[in-house]
Amino acid sequence: FSYEPTLRALQSIDNIPLAEEIIHLGKPVNEENDVDMWRANAGRFHDVLGTLDDSQYAAVNAAMTQRLTLVQGPPGTGKSFVGAKIAKILHEMYPEERIHVLCFTNHALDQFALDLLDEGLTNFVRIGGRSQDERIQQHGLPPPGGFLSDRHAHAQRREAEGTRGERMRECKDCIQQYLHIAKGSLKLNDVASVLTPEEMDDLTVPESQDGFQVAAGRGQRAFTSDDLWERWVSGRDRGPLNDMYASSGLWDMPRTARARKIEDLRKKLLVELKEGLLQSFSDYEDTDKDLAMINDATRIEKLHGARLVASTATGAAIHRHLLEQVQSSFVIVEEAGELLEAHVLTSLFARCRKLIMIGDHKQLRPKLEQYALCVESGQGIDYDRSLFERLVLSGYPHTTLSSQFRMHPDLSYIIREMTYPDLQDSERVRARPSIKCGLQERLLVAHHTFPEGGDESTGLSKRNIGEAEFVVRIVGYLLQQDGIGPKNITVLTPYLGQ
């Protein structure tokens, strides 16, 4: 899981919408206009509301009237179903406003997108990794710079790419020059910009007035300013120019003083070059942003035309610069209990006036790699406590979906006894016929005394050969029953070795 996009997005936040509820833990705010709008339009959605049970209706009602709504859904209670209904009602009741649907995983995002399609909501854009579902693929966000139909835009992009290339070369040249000055031997041309005029005069061979040049050395070659510099650096005198007047005092310095002078010149040069390097980087970033804006033009155009935007939390952070251009009024967060608080905050923009979080803080918390940051460590950092859980624990009112539509009562009994004492079984699951798979009960617990293998000290995963053989025999028995094939059976184990 990548946290860098979210951390970068956090750095760009200036303020937090709905701060009264999120930060100051105030009571739910009922916007008068929204309450009046819902009262006036609820009758239009009789067909939608008629499919809901009482707790689901209460969740929808809260979402329509409150600025911030929390919907807790135990397993199988229809969290995604309710989320899709809320999206449909908001979509039809506020035709000029945009909805952002946020999920933790791409799998959940695809499922929610399919729910939107089933509700007849087709004007949406999905941001994130390529979906495997053909129905959703056509709703994907175009790649950067893709499908530019405007010839002027093409010309702008070519020009921006050329400018960015030039800025990149300038950056490379500055880096090479900086490294040369920092580590290499200095030449006269290197230090000319940090020498005083008098010092430069004393290190320059004067131009001849009569066409003759000063010569030196065995071959009597022309004596240049670079030769004069080398003599000064090495602690020698001016050679053939020794009789000429020097005004700066450079030639009176002993060799040790000259070495200190050279290092002072080097430091001054590095300061100049650092400023130039930073400016080159800044120029490159500006041209890179210009190019990104051109490349994002078609993406922003598609987002502007969409009534709904669907993304994962990481996708929202990566594309925050795009979402900021098409800010949504309503944000619906699925799997809210599995998202870090930072994930939700970085998905809110100034225009957001309604946040609906749907999840279950009694199931999985957000995943962290560092145990010391987790609630269970007891160190008080609690970074894996979601915004959803924090608000629920602080006493912010939330609606709990009360009926489950997934499990036969023989199975829901487990989670009701452990976690959800008020969870009810819907008529649909109570009416399921008895199973015909060669087993007398839906839930069987088998106790065994097979010895466990594996050695954690050597890094080997735990395993139990006897238990594995026992499971294989059960699977073989089930496959002998009529109507049961491999696709109907799932075997789960917590250990890789098993």
Side-chain angles (χ1 to χ4, degrees), residues 415-454:
I415 62 172
R416 186 160 40 246
E417 287 294 313
M418 295 177 61
T419 313
Y420 308 100
D422 299 325
L423 184 63
Q424 303 170 13
D425 299 314
S426 67
E427 180 61 33
R428 188 170 72 191
V429 296
R430 289 200 303 268
R432 284 179 180 170
S434 59
I435 57 173
K436 298 178 180 180
C437 65
L439 301 175
Q440 291 184 340
E441 305 291 342
R442 277 187 162 85
L443 174 63
L444 297 173
V445 178
H447 173 72
H448 68 74
T449 57
F450 301 127
E452 192 173 74

Side-chain angles (χ1 to χ4, degrees), residues 112-234:
F112 201 99
L114 291 174
D115 290 341
L116 294 177
L117 290 174
D118 291 341
E119 292 292 340
L121 306 180
T122 59
N123 188 12
F124 71 89
V125 174
R126 180 191 184 280
I127 297 176
R130 184 174 176 81
S131 173
Q132 300 302 312
D133 193 290
E134 292 183 0
R135 294 174 63 192
I136 302 174
Q137 288 176 3
Q138 61 181 314
H139 296 277
L141 191 67
F147 317 123
L148 281 177
S149 57
D150 192 308
R151 294 178 63 183
H152 177 64
H154 273 292
Q156 282 186 315
R157 181 166 67 182
R158 286 196 299 270
E159 181 180 354
E161 287 174 344
T163 303
R164 186 178 66 168
E166 292 176 9
R167 296 290 181 265
M168 174 63 77
R169 287 188 289 273
E170 290 174 3
C171 288
K172 289 180 178 179
D173 290 343
C174 285
I175 292 172
Q176 290 175 354
Q177 179 69 1
Y178 189 92
L179 294 176
H180 163 68
I181 297 299
K183 299 180 180 180
S185 299
L186 298 180
K187 304 295 183 183
L188 182 59
N189 285 340
D190 295 330
V191 300
S193 64
V194 290
L195 291 171
T196 66
E198 293 78 11
E199 291 171 338
M200 192 63 193
D201 286 343
D202 287 350
L203 292 168
T204 303
V205 175
E207 294 183 6
S208 173
Q209 301 297 322
D210 53 9
F212 290 94
Q213 292 178 316
V214 178
R218 293 181 180 178
Q220 293 295 298
R221 64 175 181 82
F223 188 69
T224 66
S225 297
D226 288 332
D227 296 324
L228 194 57
W229 167 258
E230 292 300 330
R231 294 184 69 87
W232 183 81
V233 169
S234 61

Side-chain angles (χ1 to χ4, degrees), residues 18 213 236 249 280 339 344 361 494:
L18 313 181
Q213 292 178 316
R236 291 178 287 169
S280 295
L339 287 172
V344 178
H361 59 290

